[in-house]
Amino acid sequence: MKITFINKETKDIESDLEIILLKKNKYLKANDMFIQKNKLYVKIVNFKYYTITETLTNTIKYIYKINKYKSVKISLYGISDIKIQALIDGLLLGGYDFTKYQSKTKKLKLQNIYIANQNYKDIELSYEDIKSKIDTNIKINININLSRDMINSVAQDTTPIKISNWIQEELKNTNIECIIKDDKYIQKELPAFYDISKGSINKPRLVHLKYNENKGYKKTVLIGKGVTFDTGGISLKPSAYMYDMRLDKAGAITIFGIIKAINDLKLPIEIHAMLGFSENMISNNAYKPGDVIKTRSGKTIEIMNTDAEGRILLADLFEYAQDKIKKIDYIFDYATLTGSVEGAIGQYSAGLIGHNSKLKNAIIKVSKKVDEWYVDLPFNRYFFDSSYKSAIADFTNTPTSSIGGGTIMGGIFIDNFLKKKYKKKWLHIDIACVSFIKNSWKYHEFGATGFGVKSSVYLIKRLTKHSIQ
Ligand code: BES
Ligand code: ZN
Ligand code: ZN
């Protein structure tokens, strides 16, 4: 399905159906709709962002359900950034359906949605300006839906090798360079990352994506946890907590979505995305509690719990990225790192961790505008005291005394692998709760949300104009 903005009034556009949003209509109750003579009348309570997306989500689902119309037209309902975004979010994100594993799927008839350049007054915005706002949202949302497809796909279809190949395939006609490093390379260069995959026959892969390398732009490094399935390893997860662990690759997939959207929007910035794909399995070859493993730089970690695998993968990726990429301006990591983030802040936000309040505030502010939510989880210097002190190695991989704050503690572990000069340039984003939901919410159905792509693209876009130290 394609959305096109047309510089015509609605009446001059040919289509099978017209969507008309009505605020005042005594025959319609909230969310009600009816079709009369190729016009679909939909009651809308107000024209706020949330209401527009919700109403359009219901509307597009209804059109797909009837599955009769090939083309649909709708006019703009206000031309502020947020209203344009609401329209596109409702249609594209609300219209998303994950049917890959259903044997009987109906072929959807809808091919085109036309948005007419109509329905606003007194605001001087050219067709090109509005078109560019619409296109930006379309490009971001297409990549959110692609990310949702990848996260939703089950573990046997997204082993480290398969997901790396899928990513390479998606990037064929872009300006993103895709370098895939195999398990032999990982064993030599990122030994701790290698060790957490030892229990699996599905060998790990490191995917390094480069966009605008060495063109003199600001340099952002994105690091993502891509555990394609997390059984917990020898510290096995209980079944109820294990079954949806295909979501554990969401961090890596989110940064794939971000870099791909940035490419599609042609933003002037240099991006390096480091995606670490690994499967945390249980077998006679798996790493064990009590093992001591070594990171790239030789730091030693005593394994207390093989289920805290994500932070080990990130530790090595951090050391690798800082060695390989010089003069980094920003370094953001995305990971489904801790189950405790849900208890701390609920299902609908990401946990935000870092040393730089300005950077944290910038993402919080930008994200609110696009209706994604981050909650600042501040460090407290007492958290650092002896938190990962091992009797025999440099660190343990889980906190040695139970002081709570699991998500903050996750951040504190990674912090140990960050060079001093990069501390203020770093954000750690824990998306364990918000990346995959069990109940429908907003324009999301059960499954992957694609959370983080939109807000991060807008943050990075902002950083191309105003840098934050
Ligand atoms: N992948 C999990 C975190 C997770 C849990 C993500 C639930 C999404 C939903 C991670 O690898 C993990 O198991 N973390 C442990 C860390 C603990 C052992 C310190 C956790 O959160 O319990
Ligand atoms: Zn785990
Ligand atoms: Zn995990």
Side-chain angles (χ1 to χ4, degrees):
M1 189 270 289
K2 194 166 171 258
I3 298 182
T4 320
F5 181 49
I6 300 189
N7 200 11
K8 285 183 181 171
E9 295 203 0
T10 323
K11 65 174 175 30
D12 299 326
I13 298 174
E14 257 183 53
S15 77
D16 300 342
L17 186 74
E18 178 180 355
I19 301 171
I20 299 174
L21 305 182
L22 295 172
K23 202 171 155 195
K24 292 194 185 96
N25 186 301
K26 59 181 175 183
Y27 301 110
L28 282 170
K29 292 195 197 78
N31 290 332
D32 266 3
M33 51 188 100
F34 68 88
I35 295 181
Q36 200 175 53
K37 286 190 188 155
N38 290 348
K39 287 192 166 56
L40 171 59
Y41 297 94
V42 185
K43 169 85 175 188
I44 188 158
V45 184
N46 57 47
F47 284 95
K48 297 209 165 102
Y49 171 83
Y50 182 80
T51 319
I52 299 176
T53 50
E54 190 188 68
T55 307
L56 282 169
T57 298
N58 293 334
T59 309
I60 193 76
K61 282 194 190 315
Y62 182 66
I63 293 169
Y64 280 135
K65 201 170 139 206
I66 302 174
N67 205 22
K68 186 172 147 194
Y69 305 99
K70 272 195 185 156
S71 58
V72 167
K73 62 182 173 182
I74 183 167
S75 41
L76 287 169
Y77 285 87
I79 54 163
S80 64
D81 284 352
I82 197 73
K83 282 182 179 148
I84 289 174
Q85 194 201 318
L87 188 71
I88 308 298
D89 284 357
L91 294 172
L92 270 179
L93 301 179
Y96 174 83
D97 199 10
F98 184 67
T99 56
K100 182 170 171 175
Y101 297 110
Q102 291 164 7
S103 62
K104 288 190 201 105
T105 49
K106 55 180 181 187
K107 193 164 166 7
L108 296 177
K109 294 229 168 69
L110 186 65
Q111 301 285 320
N112 283 297
I113 297 182
Y114 303 117
I115 300 177
N117 192 10
Q118 170 178 324
N119 251 7
Y120 58 90
K121 299 181 191 95
D122 308 329
I123 305 170
E124 290 287 315
L125 260 188
S126 68
Y127 167 75
E128 271 69 32
D129 284 338
I130 306 170
K131 184 172 169 23
S132 125
K133 284 181 200 296
I134 290 178
D135 283 348
T136 300
N137 281 292
I138 292 174
K139 282 176 179 151
I140 294 173
N141 286 349
I142 285 174
N143 286 303
I144 292 177
N145 284 344
L146 177 56
S147 304
R148 284 165 153 189
D149 275 346
M150 288 182 168
I151 298 167
N152 280 329
S153 292
V154 300
Q156 89 242 32
D157 292 336
T158 58
T159 61
I161 293 179
K162 286 184 183 170
I163 191 76
S164 306
N165 291 342
W166 186 357
I167 285 172
Q168 191 169 39
E169 193 62 32
E170 294 291 344
L171 297 177
K172 256 186 187 161
N173 300 316
T174 66
N175 292 321
I176 299 170
E177 193 186 336
C178 175
I179 301 155
I180 301 177
K181 302 287 191 193
D182 68 7
D183 45 302
K184 288 208 177 67
Y185 181 90
I186 296 171
Q187 186 169 23
K188 192 161 156 271
E189 299 283 331
L190 302 101
F193 171 4
Y194 180 82
D195 283 341
I196 63 159
S197 313
K198 270 178 25 190
S200 176
I201 53 163
N202 293 311
K203 297 296 168 211
R205 287 293 180 271
L206 165 62
V207 180
H208 181 174
L209 307 176
K210 298 177 179 179
Y211 170 72
N212 272 340
E213 194 181 23
N214 295 330
K215 292 197 181 146
Y217 296 123
K218 284 245 160 359
K219 211 182 277 184
T220 300
V221 173
L222 305 174
I223 292 181
K225 169 180 173 183
V227 173
T228 58
F229 197 78
D230 184 9
T231 63
I234 304 281
S235 317
L236 197 64
K237 282 184 186 295
S239 312
Y241 291 93
M242 197 198 293
Y243 108 96
D244 56 6
M245 275 303 137
R246 68 177 189 275
L247 68 80
D248 217 20
K249 59 187 177 303
I253 303 300
T254 304
I255 68 173
F256 159 76
I258 297 169
I259 194 171
K260 170 87 174 15
I262 285 176
N263 168 84
D264 295 353
L265 294 170
K266 301 191 172 65
L267 295 187
I269 187 149
E270 179 172 340
I271 307 269
H272 292 264
M274 302 275 187
L275 292 67
F277 290 114
S278 161
E279 196 176 53
N280 188 15
M281 286 295 284
I282 181 163
S283 85
N284 63 357
N285 204 33
Y287 80 131
K288 295 179 278 292
D291 279 356
V292 175
I293 63 173
K294 259 189 199 165
T295 67
R296 174 181 175 83
S297 72
K299 287 180 178 155
T300 55
I301 304 170
E302 183 190 6
I303 305 304
M304 307 291 281
N305 186 328
T306 60
D307 199 10
E309 82 296 340
R311 59 196 65 194
I312 300 171
L313 194 162
L314 292 178
D316 245 351
L317 281 177
F318 268 86
E319 290 188 344
Y320 180 80
Q322 292 167 100
D323 279 352
K324 295 285 174 189
I325 303 159
K326 303 289 169 227
K327 295 199 177 139
I328 302 169
D329 290 292
Y330 305 103
I331 177 161
F332 305 149
D333 77 83
Y334 299 74
T336 48
L337 207 70
T338 61
S340 47
V341 72
E342 185 171 331
I345 61 173
Q347 272 197 359
Y348 300 143
S349 312
L352 181 61
I353 283 160
H355 297 284
N356 185 339
S357 304
K358 279 191 200 155
L359 208 49
K360 287 199 280 185
N361 289 337
I363 193 165
I364 289 170
K365 198 169 159 202
V366 166
S367 308
K368 269 188 192 157
K369 282 197 185 148
V370 296
D371 207 40
E372 288 192 329
W373 301 77
Y374 290 73
V375 179
D376 182 6
L377 299 173
F379 283 140
N380 163 328
R381 74 181 178 85
Y382 299 106
F383 273 118
F384 290 90
D385 296 344
S386 327
S387 51
Y388 287 99
K389 206 170 175 61
S390 162
I392 56 169
D394 299 340
F395 306 104
T396 53
N397 76 328
T398 60
T400 29
S401 51
S402 51
I403 48 171
T407 307
I408 299 176
M409 293 309 292
I412 286 179
F413 182 86
I414 307 165
D415 176 65
N416 287 309
F417 302 88
L418 203 62
K419 288 185 182 153
K420 207 167 172 205
K421 63 178 176 182
Y422 291 135
K423 300 259 182 205
K424 291 250 172 194
K425 298 175 184 292
W426 167 60
L427 289 178
H428 164 57
I429 296 157
D430 193 332
I431 53 169
C433 44
V434 69
S435 61
F436 198 95
I437 53 162
K438 314 279 172 352
N439 306 307
S440 58
W441 161 57
K442 221 163 68 167
Y443 39 67
H444 303 295
E445 285 295 338
F446 172 96
T449 59
F451 178 99
V453 173
K454 195 187 282 278
S455 43
S456 307
V457 170
Y458 279 102
L459 173 73
I460 292 169
K461 196 172 173 194
R462 188 179 168 246
L463 293 175
T464 61
K465 294 187 194 125
H466 315 275
S467 55
I468 296 173
Q469 305 292 321

